[in-house]
Amino acid sequence: MTMSCRPRWPGAARGARVILPARNTEAAEELKSSIAGGDLTILPLDLSSLSSVRSFASQFLALGFPLNILINNAGRFVFDQAESEDGFELTFAINFIGHFLLTNLLLEKMVETARETGIEGRIVNVSSVCHRWFSGDPIDYFRRLAAGEV
């Protein structure tokens, strides 16, 4: 069982160009039709897959758009023990590793945009309150996870 939060895109409603990364492109198309104004482009992205993150970054960079704001917000929590295709615990892969790789792949574009426009960009990392559900010792949990005990 998983939980996810549906993102809001106020920038698109204000006329900004927004790239909407989507694990489910059909749902994203439905969301896109409900947003008035703006230039919204949907690109597939599954943050649990490092190859998908690399593909998304490559597709975004090929568009040639500037990058002013990067908002990292997956907010997905997987209740059952599961691994990503790359062998990482799934919640950690989606909410941390995927964002880390995506940010690193797009950082130079953000620096380039700032250099060209004279306006520094912003990277916003959003988290959820899911971490509060964990009542154990996180260091011990990750040690046991790495040892294959969990």
Side-chain angles (χ1 to χ4, degrees):
M1 181 171 143
T2 62
M3 290 179 60
S4 63
C5 305
R6 286 192 73 166
R8 297 180 186 261
W9 302 96
R14 293 183 182 139
R17 177 182 296 131
V18 175
I19 306 301
L20 176 61
R23 188 170 22 104
N24 180 335
T25 54
E26 289 177 17
E29 287 293 343
E30 185 178 312
L31 175 65
K32 180 180 177 179
S33 67
S34 70
I35 297 174
D39 178 3
L40 200 98
T41 302
I42 296 170
L43 293 178
L45 173 62
D46 178 353
L47 285 164
S48 72
S49 164
L50 299 182
S51 65
S52 178
V53 172
R54 286 185 178 95
S55 177
F56 172 87
S58 177
Q59 289 177 57
F60 172 78
L61 294 171
L63 293 172
F65 295 148
L67 180 57
N68 304 98
I69 300 172
L70 174 62
I71 302 173
N72 292 321
N73 177 28
R76 187 157 179 227
F77 182 79
V78 180
F79 287 97
D80 301 318
Q81 178 66 31
E83 285 188 0
S84 70
E85 66 184 42
D86 301 295
F88 300 106
E89 190 279 325
L90 197 53
T91 299
F92 186 65
I94 294 168
N95 295 322
F96 298 97
I97 297 173
H99 286 151
F100 179 82
L101 178 59
L102 181 63
T103 300
N104 276 284
L105 293 173
L106 297 179
L107 192 57
E108 183 56 38
K109 182 62 176 182
M110 185 167 270
V111 169
E112 177 186 310
T113 299
R115 195 177 315 119
E116 291 172 357
T117 64
I119 301 170
E120 286 187 22
R122 295 289 181 260
I123 300 171
V124 179
N125 294 309
V126 180
S127 65
S128 71
V129 296
C130 291
H131 67 280
R132 293 183 184 167
W133 298 347
F134 183 76
S135 60
D137 176 355
I139 301 299
D140 182 57
Y141 174 77
F142 286 122
R143 181 197 58 75
R144 291 183 313 137
L145 184 65
E149 299 169 7
V150 177

